[in-house]
Amino acid sequence: MPGPGAYWFGKEEMEQVMEVMQGGYLFRYGSENDPKFLHKVSTLEKEFAQYCGANYALATSSGTSALLVSLLAMDLHPGDEVIVPAYTFVASYSACIFAGLVPVLTEIDESLSMDPDDIEKRITPRTKAIMPVHMLGNPCNMDRIMEIAQKYNLKVLEDSCQAAGATYKGKKTGTIGDMGAFSLNIFKTINSGDGGVVVTNNQKLYETAFGVHDQGHKPNRFGVEVGARSVLGLNFRMNEITGAVSIAQLKKLDHIIETLREKRAKFKHLIAEAGGFKFRVLNDPDGGDIATLCTVIFDTREKAQKVSKALGSKTVDQSGWHVYGNMEHILRHLKEVGQPHTKGSYPKTDELLSRAMNISIGVVDGGLGAGWGININSSDTEIEKAARQFISVSK
Ligand SMILES: *Cc1c(COP(=O)(O)O)cnc(C)c1O
């Protein structure tokens, strides 16, 4: 049950992989003078940076490692607090925790992303960063978030794992804050099995992130700096096969988004015509959301439950490790670091999510509460059928 990129796997991905296999270089570094070494990972980095309009991109092994590497690059210190929304994938929290930081949660608003009105209430003298998450492909209210970040001198890491290609007021998500992290796993907009990308406009952040992801090395291992390495690193490198598949998928991204927007508009139009449905708020006035999902917010939780159950789906509050209250291991950890939370600690978030249902348009993922809907290949007839079914069970 994957994302749209996986639905559109084809000969382009296969050709890319075959080129790498024939060349024989699977590691991201190879013999620079050998024409068989194809530089797939560094090509992906160039193309991804260009696509986003960022100065730098760094390919990693996953979205989780993209977040971790970014946090470790940002000059934060153990115990520093990072503000993260109460509705996000578990990796947003666990990356903070593994970086020695304390995730401090905020409520979400009707866009299902971080509520800017709640952020300032969570700021303490230890707050050093904000992690807005462009949940379900919908950009956060970045104007408000950046304003708060500037006021309190906080770093901003955009978790753009679900939002490759989304824009906010003309800028690609991930490029508005100090750093942005993307995921290339199967449930995301484009897919290479597993993979991630960090983007930034800041050279120092890029170089530090590179070192963190590659045992402390300088970018592309140019200039080895023996005796003067300042960065302690691990290994979160991407390999050439993943890089090759990602190149083919990135080329499809704009077409994927265009197609999803068209299909969602059709579906949304049909159900809006029936009347009485409310959708989540989209923050970008220019329509920069990537339409991987269509989220309906019902008036009552009973109604939301009745409809989603009738369709074999579930309300968003039931969507496993995307809602803070369902993450027993994170709650346990937070309690240990003096942030006791239980289900119910974020009443606005809980209440909203209990009335929300995610309908798949391009990301068909039961784990996201989006097990029902259409997909990127659905025909007009299928879209009409799904809309009719939705309307009929909502009566
Ligand atoms: C998927 C996801 C991640 C983690 O990405 P992986 O590639 O699965 O490691 C992080 N944050 C959000 C919001 C995600 O949806």
Side-chain angles (χ1 to χ4, degrees):
M1 294 292 220
Y7 277 88
W8 278 12
F9 261 167
K11 67 174 184 343
E12 300 80 6
E13 286 77 8
M14 288 183 217
E15 277 167 16
Q16 281 282 345
V17 171
M18 282 314 289
E19 278 178 27
V20 174
M21 296 307 285
Q22 276 155 3
Y25 285 91
L26 270 58
F27 189 42
R28 76 162 285 164
Y29 303 111
S31 185
E32 290 298 325
N33 302 324
D34 185 349
K36 287 186 161 165
F37 173 50
L38 300 174
H39 307 91
K40 293 294 185 186
V41 174
S42 55
T43 303
L44 170 72
E45 291 173 337
K46 276 189 208 102
E47 292 180 355
F48 205 95
Q50 202 170 19
Y51 178 84
C52 291
N55 290 346
Y56 305 96
L58 169 68
T60 61
S61 52
S62 70
T64 305
S65 59
L67 286 172
L68 180 61
V69 161
S70 302
L71 289 167
L72 290 171
M74 287 199 317
D75 195 28
L76 303 169
H77 301 281
D80 285 354
E81 294 174 0
V82 183
I83 295 179
V84 189
Y87 176 48
T88 183
F89 183 58
V90 63
S92 311
Y93 307 132
S94 39
C96 292
I97 294 168
F98 274 94
L101 308 167
V102 180
V104 170
L105 277 49
T106 63
E107 298 274 18
I108 58 163
D109 63 19
E110 295 216 339
S111 66
L112 301 201
S113 64
M114 192 173 255
D115 178 1
D117 288 334
D118 195 47
I119 298 173
E120 282 189 86
K121 295 179 200 152
R122 312 287 172 181
I123 292 176
T124 75
R126 307 209 69 145
T127 310
K128 292 290 147 55
I130 308 181
M131 186 193 291
V133 183
H134 305 298
M135 227 16 211
L136 316 172
N138 181 21
C140 298
N141 186 333
M142 288 307 292
D143 280 352
R144 293 279 310 280
I145 292 170
M146 293 308 291
E147 212 177 273
I148 297 166
Q150 268 145 24
K151 182 169 161 194
Y152 293 91
N153 194 24
L154 308 175
K155 293 271 187 347
V156 175
L157 166 59
E158 291 173 71
D159 181 339
S160 202
C161 286
Q162 296 189 10
T167 55
Y168 178 78
K169 298 194 173 175
K171 279 191 186 161
K172 287 279 190 315
T173 60
T175 66
I176 302 160
D178 297 278
M179 303 185 94
F182 294 85
S183 166
L184 304 172
N185 95 14
I186 188 159
F187 300 108
K188 310 301 157 95
T189 325
I190 52 173
N191 157 46
S192 57
D194 255 324
V197 185
V198 175
V199 297
T200 181
N201 287 319
N202 181 305
Q203 185 181 352
K204 182 159 180 287
L205 288 177
Y206 164 69
E207 286 182 1
T208 313
F210 199 101
V212 171
H213 116 293
D214 185 21
Q215 312 289 9
H217 285 291
K218 285 271 195 191
N220 299 311
R221 299 194 174 173
F222 291 132
V224 174
E225 273 202 328
V226 174
R229 288 189 193 105
S230 53
V231 179
L232 195 62
L234 288 160
N235 170 11
F236 298 111
R237 291 183 303 259
M238 183 183 277
N239 69 67
E240 288 286 283
I241 295 179
T242 305
V245 175
S246 308
I247 289 172
Q249 286 269 293
L250 181 61
K251 290 195 205 308
K252 297 180 181 182
L253 181 53
D254 278 340
H255 190 201
I256 286 173
I257 295 172
E258 232 172 82
T259 308
L260 295 179
R261 285 180 178 154
E262 226 171 80
K263 294 199 192 250
R264 186 177 65 182
K266 272 186 196 138
F267 181 82
K268 216 170 159 176
H269 175 75
L270 288 169
I271 64 171
E273 235 175 15
F277 295 108
K278 212 174 122 202
F279 302 96
R280 74 163 164 165
V281 169
L282 303 179
N283 287 312
D284 178 47
D286 311 328
D289 152 81
I290 54 172
T292 40
L293 295 132
C294 176
T295 305
V296 177
I297 300 181
F298 293 92
D299 289 336
T300 64
R301 100 183 260 142
E302 290 70 30
K303 183 84 185 267
Q305 269 173 0
K306 182 193 138 222
V307 173
S308 48
K309 204 165 160 219
L311 296 166
S313 190
K314 50 193 171 189
T315 48
V316 182
D317 62 326
Q318 305 296 317
S319 61
W321 281 357
H322 293 93
V323 184
Y324 77 97
N326 301 337
M327 304 179 196
E328 67 287 349
H329 49 343
I330 298 288
L331 296 180
R332 195 165 55 233
H333 173 85
L334 289 177
K335 195 171 162 196
E336 281 165 16
V337 297
Q339 296 264 340
H341 300 295
T342 52
K343 230 181 174 83
S345 293
Y346 298 86
K348 187 177 173 190
T349 300
D350 292 329
E351 201 273 331
L352 251 171
L353 295 181
S354 75
R355 289 189 288 118
M357 178 186 169
N358 284 334
I359 298 167
S360 67
I361 301 292
V363 171
V364 188
D365 178 6
L368 206 54
W372 182 87
I374 59 170
N375 66 61
I376 192 164
N377 294 329
S378 294
S379 65
D380 282 358
T381 318
E382 287 164 333
I383 296 171
E384 283 156 24
K385 188 173 158 229
R388 271 200 309 275
Q389 197 185 357
F390 185 76
I391 294 161
S392 112
V393 303
S394 302
K395 284 211 172 98

